[in-house]
Amino acid sequence: MGVIEIKDLVKKYDDNIAVDNINLSIEEGEIYGILGPNGAGKSTTISIVCSLLRPSSGEVKILGEDIKRNSLKIKKFLGLVPQSIAVYSDFTAYENVKFFGELYGLRGNKLKESIEKSLEFTGLLEVKNKKAKEFSGGMLRRLNIACAIIHNPKILIMDEPTVGIDPQSRNHIMQSVKELNKQGVTIVYTTHYMEEAEALCSKIAIIDKGKIIVEGSKEELKDMVSDKRTLNIGLDDIYKMNIEALRNIEGVLDINIDENNLIITSSKDVNNLDKIIKVVSEQNVKITDLGFKEITLETVFLSLTGKN
Ligand code: ADP
């Protein structure tokens, strides 16, 4: 049994179904990625798992305990890094982490040691006496993490922890996630950045419009689209291109536009390259780039949802 078990989870806001019958099992020791565009239902799912929001229906078990019955006991094992920064701006970094440590019942030497360890781990020990309001966006994100790991949780849930920060802090956070995982912490990591999920996660669920579209290891997800290939054609003026003419070519499954590139998903079994190039070159556009896209999570997502 997984350390987190989500069964038939539904959350409705009036007519809007934010979470639409999600089932997930997250095993101990994973870095589990929940990947999906904005509005997919990631935060809503996370908030329910952390008992911050009640589901409309369904069940969540953490370490075998139903969150409805045992939320206090579960909170000891769970750390949450919320998407919005949850620290006090007039407190120093030290005082913020201390506040959270006390909430979890840490006292005396144990508290002191845990504060130092959390601040050191997030690279904030040297600025521990600075007030949070003097921190950059990246430092605030790291302080958010320091507060979430003060009680040494077995499971750490991180909701889009790298949104809107500088690359250096982003790298720092991603390294910290790997390091915590090495120390035995199970991580649930939501993101809308494909590259992050690809670089970090051992398992991934792709969600869209409240539903899980696919779930598996990176290799399993990539295998799902191995019967397709994705051709990228760069054009000087994509809006002069009549895209409909391409849709009728045998083997063409889907066509998307990304800036000045036509992205054509095609069946691997049909050799239609000459036809595609012919149709494009008959139009009033110049080809500026041409190549196959490597199979990445992005191509998987594109091929399964039809959107970038
Ligand atoms: P994500 O985290 O993947 O960006 P969310 O879980 O925040 O997605 O949102 C999922 C859907 O639920 C969206 O359509 C969003 O507009 C809606 N939603 C989220 N919170 C509320 C709320 N408090 N009231 C009404 N609708 C909400």
Side-chain angles (χ1 to χ4, degrees):
M1 195 175 59
V3 288
I4 300 181
E5 293 281 342
I6 301 177
K7 205 160 169 274
D8 303 330
L9 192 68
V10 175
K11 178 69 186 177
K12 290 183 190 158
Y13 292 107
D14 300 323
D15 285 346
N16 182 8
I17 305 183
V19 175
D20 192 359
N21 204 26
I22 279 188
N23 287 281
L24 270 186
S25 174
I26 298 175
E27 300 289 327
E28 185 172 11
E30 302 278 13
I31 302 181
Y32 195 101
I34 300 181
L35 178 66
N38 286 327
K42 303 182 295 294
S43 290
T44 307
T45 306
I46 293 296
S47 300
I48 295 170
V49 169
C50 295
S51 298
L52 299 172
L53 198 64
R54 274 169 183 273
S56 304
S57 60
E59 191 177 77
V60 179
K61 281 188 178 164
I62 294 176
L63 297 164
E65 307 270 4
D66 191 323
I67 57 165
K68 271 187 252 154
R69 259 170 263 144
N70 260 320
S71 72
L72 266 183
K73 187 174 169 195
I74 291 165
K75 274 183 180 153
K76 279 197 171 167
F77 300 119
L78 210 58
L80 170 66
V81 183
Q83 197 171 6
S84 49
I85 303 289
V87 299
Y88 293 94
S89 52
D90 274 326
F91 281 14
T92 64
Y94 191 94
E95 288 163 346
N96 265 295
V97 182
K98 182 168 176 244
F99 175 80
F100 280 89
E102 284 170 346
L103 274 187
Y104 283 106
L106 300 174
R107 300 285 182 266
N109 271 345
K110 177 83 183 128
L111 174 64
K112 223 174 139 219
E113 276 165 25
S114 301
I115 298 170
E116 301 268 327
K117 198 173 137 206
S118 295
L119 288 170
E120 163 128 60
F121 185 76
T122 46
L124 295 173
L125 198 53
E126 277 168 23
V127 289
K128 67 178 182 182
N129 293 322
K130 264 196 173 183
K131 287 189 175 173
K133 65 182 170 195
E134 297 168 51
F135 278 11
S136 70
M139 286 160 88
L140 283 173
R141 291 252 166 227
R142 284 191 265 153
L143 183 55
N144 227 18
I145 295 174
C147 294
I149 59 174
I150 179 75
H151 60 303
N152 221 355
K154 284 188 192 328
I155 303 169
L156 183 65
I157 299 185
M158 310 180 86
D159 194 4
E160 307 231 20
T162 59
V163 165
I165 59 171
D166 59 282
Q168 200 192 348
S169 287
R170 189 179 187 190
N171 278 343
H172 193 286
I173 289 175
M174 289 176 68
Q175 288 310 321
S176 312
V177 171
K178 285 186 190 165
E179 184 52 40
L180 279 171
N181 183 247
K182 262 194 213 147
Q183 294 171 12
V185 182
T186 305
I187 314 261
V188 180
Y189 192 98
T190 84
T191 181
H192 65 268
Y193 297 119
M194 307 270 170
E195 330 79 80
E196 275 188 13
E198 183 133 24
L200 272 182
C201 300
S202 47
K203 256 196 157 179
I204 294 163
I206 299 184
I207 74 169
D208 190 26
K209 295 182 193 143
K211 280 188 163 53
I212 294 180
I213 302 170
V214 276
E215 200 231 347
S217 68
K218 271 177 281 193
E219 291 69 31
E220 284 167 341
L221 297 192
K222 287 180 184 180
D223 277 350
M224 283 177 201
V225 295
S226 60
D227 57 337
K228 297 173 189 166
R229 58 182 180 183
T230 309
L231 180 66
N232 189 81
I233 307 179
L235 298 173
D236 64 338
D237 187 355
I238 204 153
Y239 294 102
K240 286 193 191 149
M241 174 79 207
N242 171 14
I243 291 170
E244 292 315 307
L246 290 167
R247 289 201 198 272
N248 298 327
I249 296 174
E250 191 195 349
V252 170
L253 301 168
D254 198 14
I255 303 173
N256 284 273
I257 293 176
D258 184 12
E259 294 183 353
N260 259 325
N261 296 288
L262 271 182
I263 302 169
I264 304 173
T265 307
S266 204
S267 162
K268 242 186 190 166
D269 301 333
V270 183
N271 189 356
N272 52 14
L273 268 182
D274 48 350
K275 289 192 188 121
I276 292 173
I277 302 300
K278 185 161 175 275
V279 167
V280 176
S281 51
E282 276 167 4
Q283 304 207 21
N284 192 17
V285 287
K286 274 212 158 59
I287 296 177
T288 55
D289 194 12
L290 185 66
F292 286 108
K293 270 174 115 76
E294 201 189 320
I295 296 182
T296 59
L297 285 180
E298 195 177 345
T299 40
V300 175
F301 186 77
L302 183 73
S303 138
L304 296 172
T305 65
K307 57 186 182 193
N308 270 317

